[in-house]
Amino acid sequence: MMKELPDFLSSGDEARLFPVLAETSKEKRVASIFLAVMTQIPALAKEVLASTGVRVGKRTTVQAFTEVVFREKAFANCRPDGLIVIDTGRTRWSALIEAKIGKNGLDVEQVQRYVEIARAQGIDAVITVSNQFVSRADHSPVNLPKTLLRRVSLFHWSWTWLATICEILGYQNAVDDTEQFYLLAQLNDFLAHPATGVERFTQMAAQWKDIVQSVANDEKLKKSSSEVEASAASWIAEERDLCLHMSSHVGTRVDSIVERKLREDPAARLKEQISSIVETHMLTSKLRVPDCASDIDLCADIARKTVSVSMTVKAPTDRKSTKARLNWLLRMLPQNDERIFVRALWPGRCPPTMKPISLLREEPELIQTDNLDLVPHGFEILMIEGLGKRFGGRRTVIEDIERIVPEFYDLVGANLKAWQAPPPKPVKSRTAPDPGELEPNDLGDAGSLP
C-alpha cells in the first residue's frame, strides 16, 4: 500500500528494493535499495538515524521516498535522491537525501540548494551520502554558511559507515525476524560488491609522497603548506575508515577518542594534526574497543617511517618484585613476535626501559632499571614495524596500517586484561568472642530454632 506523500510533494515513489531506473542512475538505484531495506528493519533504522539525534521507538514509522518532485514551482526542477519521514505519532521529522557513489564527490552548490529548499518547505535536515569520510555524522565534507544551518541540520553518512553498521548488526544477531535478517544479509552482500561503487578509504592525498620526502631531506615544514593540510586531512579520513575496519574485525563498534573541544570543531581538529606533522613529524590516533584493557594508540612516524601500535596497563600492586609484575603481563601474551616490545614505566623521573618480548621471556631481569629497588607502576606493550619505501606510498602505507592494527589487536588487545585489586580479606572482629571461648549454653539448645 502506497504511503501518503507529504504535502510539499506533488509526486514521489516509495523507496524500492528493486528500483526501475536507467543504468545511468546508479546513485539513485543504490540509495533506493538502502532506504527500502532501512524502512523494513527497525534495528537498522534505529542505529543509523541515531547519528542524527532521531530516536526510533516501537511505534515509530519510517518512510522513505525517491523520485520526489516538489509542489512549489520554484523547486520543481530540483530532484534530490530521496526523502525520509519519521513519524512517532506525536512528532514528525524529515530529511532530504543527496547521494553520490564511486569517486563522485558532493557538489557544494547542490547541497546548499537542498538546504535552502528544506528551510522553505519546513524539512528538518539534509543528509548527504557518499564515499567521503567524516569523523561524525554532523561534520559535513562541504562547508556552508552557518546562517543557512540555523533551522536545517546537515548530516553526512559514508557508504562504508552504513555498510559497517549492517555488518555489526549481523555479527551481533541484532535482527531476530527471519525475513529482516535475510534482507540485511542481502544488503551486506550488495554493499560489499565492487560493482556497487561503495569505496573505502584506500590512499593518502597525492601530496603525501612530498611530505615524506621533505622530512627525509630534513626540510622544514610549514603549517600553511597545502601539502601538510592535505596529508593531515587524509589521516583524519583514514582514522575514521580504520575505526570501521576494526569494527568489522571485532564485530562491535570501535570509536576514535578525540578531545571534546576538537570533536565539536573539525577545523580545530585539522589544525591539531597539521601541528603534529610540522612539530613532531608524527600522526597519531587513539581507538577505543569496548571492554579492552585500555585504549589503542596508533602512531605513524614520518621521520623513522614506522608504524607503532600500543596499549598501556597498570602493573599489579599485589606483586612486589619487577620480575613478578612482568611475569603477570607475559602470561597474558602467549605468542612471540619480533615486532612486539614491552616498555616498563617507573616511578618518579626514572626513564622507561624497553625490551623485545621474546628476550624478556628468557631474561625478565633485563627490563629492570639501574635502581634495583624500584618496581614498575605500569607497562606499555608496543608493536613497531618499519615500512621502508612502503611508508611513502599513498596506497601501501594505508594497506600496512590496516594490516598492522588488527594484527596487534589479535596478539595483544584480545588477550590483555587490566589488573584489578583483589577484594579485601575478612578482618576478625575485635568484639566477637573466640569460638573456642563460647560456653555450650551460648550456642542455644540443640534442635531449637535460632
Side-chain angles (χ1 to χ4, degrees), residues 27-38:
E27 292 167 345
K28 293 182 183 294
R29 291 167 63 88
V30 178
S32 177
I33 292 169
F34 176 79
L35 292 174
V37 174
M38 187 182 73

PDB file of all heavy atoms in Angstrom, residues 27-38:
ATOM      1  N   GLU A  27      23.437   6.158  -8.672  1.00  0.00           N
ATOM      2  CA  GLU A  27      23.320   6.722  -7.325  1.00  0.00           C
ATOM      3  C   GLU A  27      21.908   6.566  -6.787  1.00  0.00           C
ATOM      4  O   GLU A  27      21.714   6.176  -5.634  1.00  0.00           O
ATOM      5  CB  GLU A  27      23.732   8.198  -7.354  1.00  0.00           C
ATOM      6  CG  GLU A  27      25.219   8.376  -7.639  1.00  0.00           C
ATOM      7  CD  GLU A  27      25.589   9.807  -7.989  1.00  0.00           C
ATOM      8  OE1 GLU A  27      24.673  10.599  -8.292  1.00  0.00           O
ATOM      9  OE2 GLU A  27      26.783  10.115  -7.978  1.00  0.00           O
ATOM     10  N   LYS A  28      20.923   6.860  -7.624  1.00  0.00           N
ATOM     11  CA  LYS A  28      19.533   6.730  -7.193  1.00  0.00           C
ATOM     12  C   LYS A  28      19.179   5.275  -6.918  1.00  0.00           C
ATOM     13  O   LYS A  28      18.390   4.977  -6.000  1.00  0.00           O
ATOM     14  CB  LYS A  28      18.602   7.312  -8.255  1.00  0.00           C
ATOM     15  CG  LYS A  28      18.716   8.825  -8.431  1.00  0.00           C
ATOM     16  CD  LYS A  28      17.732   9.318  -9.467  1.00  0.00           C
ATOM     17  CE  LYS A  28      17.891  10.811  -9.716  1.00  0.00           C
ATOM     18  NZ  LYS A  28      17.532  11.617  -8.534  1.00  0.00           N
ATOM     19  N   ARG A  29      19.749   4.350  -7.702  1.00  0.00           N
ATOM     20  CA  ARG A  29      19.457   2.921  -7.506  1.00  0.00           C
ATOM     21  C   ARG A  29      19.981   2.451  -6.152  1.00  0.00           C
ATOM     22  O   ARG A  29      19.267   1.805  -5.390  1.00  0.00           O
ATOM     23  CB  ARG A  29      20.093   2.096  -8.622  1.00  0.00           C
ATOM     24  CG  ARG A  29      19.444   2.303  -9.989  1.00  0.00           C
ATOM     25  CD  ARG A  29      20.320   1.711 -11.088  1.00  0.00           C
ATOM     26  NE  ARG A  29      20.462   0.273 -10.953  1.00  0.00           N
ATOM     27  CZ  ARG A  29      19.623  -0.596 -11.494  1.00  0.00           C
ATOM     28  NH1 ARG A  29      18.583  -0.187 -12.200  1.00  0.00           N
ATOM     29  NH2 ARG A  29      19.815  -1.887 -11.341  1.00  0.00           N
ATOM     30  N   VAL A  30      21.242   2.780  -5.860  1.00  0.00           N
ATOM     31  CA  VAL A  30      21.836   2.346  -4.590  1.00  0.00           C
ATOM     32  C   VAL A  30      21.113   2.989  -3.417  1.00  0.00           C
ATOM     33  O   VAL A  30      20.816   2.340  -2.400  1.00  0.00           O
ATOM     34  CB  VAL A  30      23.342   2.679  -4.552  1.00  0.00           C
ATOM     35  CG1 VAL A  30      23.948   2.275  -3.206  1.00  0.00           C
ATOM     36  CG2 VAL A  30      24.077   1.966  -5.681  1.00  0.00           C
ATOM     37  N   ALA A  31      20.789   4.288  -3.544  1.00  0.00           N
ATOM     38  CA  ALA A  31      20.080   4.982  -2.470  1.00  0.00           C
ATOM     39  C   ALA A  31      18.706   4.368  -2.236  1.00  0.00           C
ATOM     40  O   ALA A  31      18.288   4.154  -1.087  1.00  0.00           O
ATOM     41  CB  ALA A  31      19.944   6.465  -2.804  1.00  0.00           C
ATOM     42  N   SER A  32      17.998   4.045  -3.305  1.00  0.00           N
ATOM     43  CA  SER A  32      16.662   3.461  -3.183  1.00  0.00           C
ATOM     44  C   SER A  32      16.718   2.112  -2.479  1.00  0.00           C
ATOM     45  O   SER A  32      15.896   1.825  -1.596  1.00  0.00           O
ATOM     46  CB  SER A  32      16.035   3.298  -4.576  1.00  0.00           C
ATOM     47  OG  SER A  32      14.770   2.680  -4.489  1.00  0.00           O
ATOM     48  N   ILE A  33      17.678   1.291  -2.855  1.00  0.00           N
ATOM     49  CA  ILE A  33      17.796  -0.038  -2.243  1.00  0.00           C
ATOM     50  C   ILE A  33      18.082   0.080  -0.748  1.00  0.00           C
ATOM     51  O   ILE A  33      17.455  -0.598   0.079  1.00  0.00           O
ATOM     52  CB  ILE A  33      18.889  -0.862  -2.957  1.00  0.00           C
ATOM     53  CG1 ILE A  33      18.438  -1.194  -4.383  1.00  0.00           C
ATOM     54  CG2 ILE A  33      19.218  -2.131  -2.174  1.00  0.00           C
ATOM     55  CD1 ILE A  33      19.534  -1.772  -5.261  1.00  0.00           C
ATOM     56  N   PHE A  34      19.023   0.945  -0.394  1.00  0.00           N
ATOM     57  CA  PHE A  34      19.353   1.095   1.032  1.00  0.00           C
ATOM     58  C   PHE A  34      18.155   1.624   1.812  1.00  0.00           C
ATOM     59  O   PHE A  34      17.812   1.098   2.888  1.00  0.00           O
ATOM     60  CB  PHE A  34      20.552   2.020   1.233  1.00  0.00           C
ATOM     61  CG  PHE A  34      20.836   2.265   2.686  1.00  0.00           C
ATOM     62  CD1 PHE A  34      21.499   1.317   3.445  1.00  0.00           C
ATOM     63  CD2 PHE A  34      20.378   3.417   3.317  1.00  0.00           C
ATOM     64  CE1 PHE A  34      21.716   1.513   4.804  1.00  0.00           C
ATOM     65  CE2 PHE A  34      20.590   3.628   4.665  1.00  0.00           C
ATOM     66  CZ  PHE A  34      21.267   2.673   5.412  1.00  0.00           C
ATOM     67  N   LEU A  35      17.517   2.673   1.295  1.00  0.00           N
ATOM     68  CA  LEU A  35      16.385   3.270   2.011  1.00  0.00           C
ATOM     69  C   LEU A  35      15.234   2.273   2.155  1.00  0.00           C
ATOM     70  O   LEU A  35      14.572   2.215   3.195  1.00  0.00           O
ATOM     71  CB  LEU A  35      15.908   4.527   1.290  1.00  0.00           C
ATOM     72  CG  LEU A  35      16.871   5.724   1.304  1.00  0.00           C
ATOM     73  CD1 LEU A  35      16.340   6.849   0.433  1.00  0.00           C
ATOM     74  CD2 LEU A  35      17.104   6.205   2.730  1.00  0.00           C
ATOM     75  N   ALA A  36      15.000   1.470   1.107  1.00  0.00           N
ATOM     76  CA  ALA A  36      13.920   0.477   1.168  1.00  0.00           C
ATOM     77  C   ALA A  36      14.176  -0.544   2.269  1.00  0.00           C
ATOM     78  O   ALA A  36      13.274  -0.903   3.038  1.00  0.00           O
ATOM     79  CB  ALA A  36      13.777  -0.214  -0.183  1.00  0.00           C
ATOM     80  N   VAL A  37      15.413  -1.024   2.361  1.00  0.00           N
ATOM     81  CA  VAL A  37      15.743  -2.012   3.391  1.00  0.00           C
ATOM     82  C   VAL A  37      15.663  -1.379   4.777  1.00  0.00           C
ATOM     83  O   VAL A  37      15.154  -1.991   5.727  1.00  0.00           O
ATOM     84  CB  VAL A  37      17.148  -2.603   3.142  1.00  0.00           C
ATOM     85  CG1 VAL A  37      17.546  -3.529   4.290  1.00  0.00           C
ATOM     86  CG2 VAL A  37      17.175  -3.375   1.826  1.00  0.00           C
ATOM     87  N   MET A  38      16.133  -0.141   4.903  1.00  0.00           N
ATOM     88  CA  MET A  38      16.121   0.521   6.209  1.00  0.00           C
ATOM     89  C   MET A  38      14.709   0.660   6.765  1.00  0.00           C
ATOM     90  O   MET A  38      14.486   0.491   7.970  1.00  0.00           O
ATOM     91  CB  MET A  38      16.779   1.895   6.105  1.00  0.00           C
ATOM     92  CG  MET A  38      16.955   2.586   7.458  1.00  0.00           C
ATOM     93  SD  MET A  38      17.665   4.233   7.340  1.00  0.00           S
ATOM     94  CE  MET A  38      16.260   5.139   6.669  1.00  0.00           C
TER      95      MET A  38
END
